[in-house]
Amino acid sequence: MNDVTYGSGTAEDPWILKTPPQTSEFQVWKVEDQDPPALVVQVGKTRLSYQVRALQDAHGMLKEHGDWMPLGNADEGKPVTEGTLEAWARSPDNPVGGYYGLRKGYRGRFANYVAPTMELLGLVELEHNARNNRIRAIGP
């Protein structure tokens, strides 16, 4: 399980998580009252945001996949490996028809930040190796 020390997932009390290899800490919270609702990630001075629906959409995709899937972490604009969570999160074939990221230029690294959030919420099992981590769905 990811090391979360505290937080309720609001802007005032964000979750404090670590990236899959456990090397970097970041904050994450939900903003439900915007359109579309956002999952906001703060990494140092950098702020990224993804559609909140990505949590359930990715969980559904992983359940259907049925086994471990590589994370395939990559910045926006960098190539991704097919068959990875990162590739799915920007694919025209996913439920939103492209990037789940909301801020152009900062729409990548989905697997690095959304996967640990999914783990915190009990939706997935996530590996925490130095490299080449994988994810799989758990729960209903």
Side-chain angles (χ1 to χ4, degrees), residues 105-140:
Y106 296 88
R107 298 182 297 184
R109 308 212 36 98
F110 178 94
N112 207 43
Y113 302 120
V114 176
T117 307
M118 293 174 67
E119 181 184 37
L120 168 72
L121 297 173
L123 299 172
V124 299
E125 188 175 355
L126 182 61
E127 293 180 331
H128 296 286
N129 302 312
R131 298 178 58 115
N132 301 319
N133 288 301
R134 301 176 304 163
I135 189 170
R136 69 176 171 188
I138 58 174

Side-chain angles (χ1 to χ4, degrees), residues 31-110:
V31 179
E32 301 278 2
D33 62 350
Q34 76 177 44
D35 187 25
L39 186 68
V40 179
V41 175
Q42 187 76 39
V43 186
K45 294 184 179 192
T46 302
R47 185 168 289 185
L48 303 95
S49 57
Y50 306 94
Q51 294 183 47
V52 165
R53 70 173 286 174
L55 298 167
Q56 292 303 321
D57 288 355
H59 182 247
M61 178 277 297
L62 288 165
K63 280 178 66 173
E64 188 174 303
H65 179 69
D67 199 3
W68 288 102
M69 176 179 279
L71 292 180
N73 211 15
D75 288 330
E76 180 179 354
K78 301 283 183 183
V80 292
T81 303
E82 286 304 311
T84 64
L85 179 63
E86 190 74 36
W88 172 84
R90 52 179 81 182
S91 169
D93 298 327
N94 71 29
V96 297
Y99 282 98
Y100 278 91
L102 295 171
R103 185 174 166 211
K104 188 161 176 56
Y106 296 88
R107 298 182 297 184
R109 308 212 36 98
F110 178 94

